[in-house]
Amino acid sequence: MPVPASRPFTVDGAQYANWSRKIFEEMRAGGVGAVHATVGYHENFRETVDLLVAWNRRFAEHGDLIARARSVAEIEAARASGRTAILFGMQNPSAIEADLGLLEVLRDCGLTFLQLTYNNQSLLGAGWQEFEDGGITRMGREVITEMNRLGMVIDMSHAGERTTVEAIERSARPVTVSHANPRWWRDTPRNVSDRIIDALEAHDGLLGLSLYPHHMAGGSACTLADFAVMAARLAEQIGPERIGIGSDLCQDRPDSAIAWMRDGRWTFETAANPNGPPVFPAQPAWFRSNADFPGIAAGLRAAGFAPDEVDGIMGENWMRFLRRTLGTV
Amino acid sequence: MPVPASRPFTVDGAQYANWSRKIFEEMRAGGVGAVHATVGYHENFRETVDLLVAWNRRFAEHGDLIARARSVAEIEAARASGRTAILFGMQNPSAIEADLGLLEVLRDCGLTFLQLTYNNQSLLGAGWQEFEDGGITRMGREVITEMNRLGMVIDMSHAGERTTVEAIERSARPVTVSHANPRWWRDTPRNVSDRIIDALEAHDGLLGLSLYPHHMAGGSACTLADFAVMAARLAEQIGPERIGIGSDLCQDRPDSAIAWMRDGRWTFETAANPNGPPVFPAQPAWFRSNADFPGIAAGLRAAGFAPDEVDGIMGENWMRFLRRTLGTV
């Protein structure tokens, strides 16, 4: 069941769905060839292993639709067999605790993406909600070197500006902000500043555009046309080849998932958040599931992108980025 | 076997010995009534529990010499029975991982002291060797509040200056730097600046004077007289009642213990350190074991301290501090 030519080969740079066969079928319907799937947030190493075990069961049960991918070759193999490649990521480095050696162990188990921070200070750097951003720490430098060696994707979503720029400049391989939009479009520190955009451009990184309402101008009411015009303006700033999609789709998750993301176990109270109480906002009508990706491609074409540029943004730019970051496993 | 009146009741604010019956006997010989014993450094929660199990075995085996203490009442009970009270501490918060709830669990298991950082950035604040010190983090604020609630000692040894001052100012209970000397005596960022000394004075904290050669003017060649003169000058600055001893004695430990303290598991390389390779420096001739504490008291008397001031510095100031920080368990 190869993807029909009318739908571009699509790579989504960030999803945290409540995974189910229905969702995997929607991925096939939407032409989604690969997904960076968030495995977890604040889990420690042992809990992360449990989450990987759950994923291994999903591959066993839904092996006709999905396949684990730790390399570009494995993404291509999944593509050839008409399945969606799943790349594992953690949105917070608590999975490696204070142990540099756990990176290789988790890489062996399939972890390819790691965010250096999630909103707060981590052992590696500062998140966007932290009081101060002191940049990449002593351990953070070691982690960047080791991720470069292992061929892992350094993801700076949810990080502070200084931490993000330092990671981009210090890494020997390109870096991504897998799910965020330009701050000039929606002004929140969760989105990327021009300074970050410039650093991504200078170091040939990739920005995955987010379809999460709190990251978009107009929120849930944002139109596809507005989104595509933003992408066109960004393409002039950074080059269309450095843009991808990172939808941040959390399909079928209960609101308690947001409370876990925000509060983890670091506070007993509900943490302050500029987006208000921990409730999922309504997705825009034009993007509610993986089956809606072809519409995004159509919207980009309508905004004036050339066909090869649309193919790039929908997936080929991610593939080029992954060829330079994952190395050969 | 009560402590003879000629030796003051002594409290040592920091030790990490290779614990043995010999050392416990030296504690008795030296009149050491209570010790803040470092349980560990970079261990995670589960590993910390293992270290507490090892301590429970020591209490079972050497119960004639030592007793666990979680409160001032338990210190007094140990004192009445002629045993040395052992108070548990961790020099790094890795034991609580990213889980605020583990504080109460470890408090229940006897942990009374916790350093918010050890040299590097932690989830709570920055250590003195970190590139930047952004102060107390979001989780750090929660931890301070919870430690205040539980009656735990906030120990800022090994922290950066800003992090230390913010902890002192934010905590509702007094804070200690359990093992360090004034920077004006030995100029290293591991020691405390005047800004920190002023904050301790303003918030009625306690500075435990260190007998570790790298913290002393002259290093291993430092004389007892020099040490006592420093204490006298500090007493003019901060008040004699805010001075204690925190010897940092690491008796009978192999040099590999220093490598563990410095490098933990956060780096594969040997971390840079201004004190050079990870080798224990020679202790000064006048302080090589717990049996040498009476000599410190004599040195303080020779430097002009009044008898009650000597008793304060040797132990009663720690007791006053612990009455205000440990609460009732």
Side-chain angles (χ1 to χ4, degrees), chain B residues 21-177:
Chain B
R21 185 161 188 91
K22 178 194 78 170
I23 287 172
F24 301 141
E25 287 170 344
E26 287 167 348
M27 288 177 178
R28 291 287 77 211
V32 179
V35 171
H36 162 214
T38 292
V39 170
Y41 291 82
H42 304 287
E43 291 82 1
N44 66 16
F45 173 74
R46 185 64 185 81
E47 293 167 329
T48 300
V49 169
D50 283 344
L51 295 170
L52 295 177
V53 168
W55 263 111
N56 286 343
R57 296 308 305 148
R58 283 185 201 110
F59 293 126
E61 194 170 351
H62 309 291
D64 55 324
L65 293 173
I66 57 171
R68 186 178 76 167
R70 295 179 296 177
S71 65
V72 170
E74 289 182 340
I75 298 173
E76 298 287 8
R79 182 178 191 169
S81 63
R83 295 179 293 170
T84 300
I86 303 291
L87 292 97
F88 295 151
M90 292 294 290
Q91 291 212 23
N92 190 49
S94 49
I96 64 165
E97 302 179 0
D99 189 345
L100 190 62
L102 292 183
L103 279 170
E104 186 162 6
V105 172
L106 287 170
R107 181 70 174 95
D108 284 343
C109 297
L111 193 79
T112 46
F113 282 66
L114 181 69
Q115 275 178 207
L116 301 196
T117 71
Y118 186 85
N119 298 359
N120 281 12
Q121 179 71 52
S122 75
L123 298 179
L124 315 180
W128 70 275
Q129 283 204 281
E130 197 47 83
F131 301 121
E132 294 283 341
D133 181 356
I136 296 295
T137 66
R138 297 178 92 196
M139 183 176 176
R141 289 192 184 184
E142 304 296 323
V143 164
I144 288 171
T145 301
E146 179 68 352
M147 289 179 73
N148 285 165
R149 184 181 79 83
L150 294 169
M152 295 181 73
V153 175
I154 296 169
D155 186 352
M156 299 310 292
S157 306
H158 291 267
E161 182 185 76
R162 176 175 168 184
T163 291
T164 301
V165 170
E166 286 187 12
I168 293 168
E169 293 179 344
R170 184 163 283 279
S171 173
R173 298 189 191 235
V175 165
T176 187
V177 178

Side-chain angles (χ1 to χ4, degrees), chain A residues 196-265:
Chain A
I196 293 172
I197 293 171
D198 290 346
L200 287 171
E201 194 276 337
H203 295 269
D204 205 16
L206 190 142
L207 178 62
L209 298 180
S210 171
L211 300 166
Y212 189 66
H214 291 321
H215 307 159
M216 298 199 293
S220 300
C222 178
T223 66
L224 175 56
D226 283 349
F227 176 82
V229 166
M230 175 275 290
R233 182 174 155 195
L234 180 65
E236 291 173 14
Q237 188 177 9
I238 197 175
E241 70 277 18
R242 299 194 184 88
I243 302 174
I245 303 290
S247 73
D248 208 7
L249 187 65
C250 298
Q251 200 179 342
D252 298 342
R253 287 275 180 196
D255 290 336
S256 58
I258 296 198
W260 170 243
M261 293 175 199
R262 291 183 183 178
D263 301 337
R265 300 185 187 108

Side-chain angles (χ1 to χ4, degrees), chain A residues 25 37 75 90 114 119 122 158 163 166 190 198 240 268:
Chain A
E25 287 170 343
I75 298 172
M90 292 295 289
L114 181 69
N119 297 2
S122 75
H158 292 266
T163 291
E166 286 187 12
R190 175 62 185 79
D198 290 346
F268 295 142

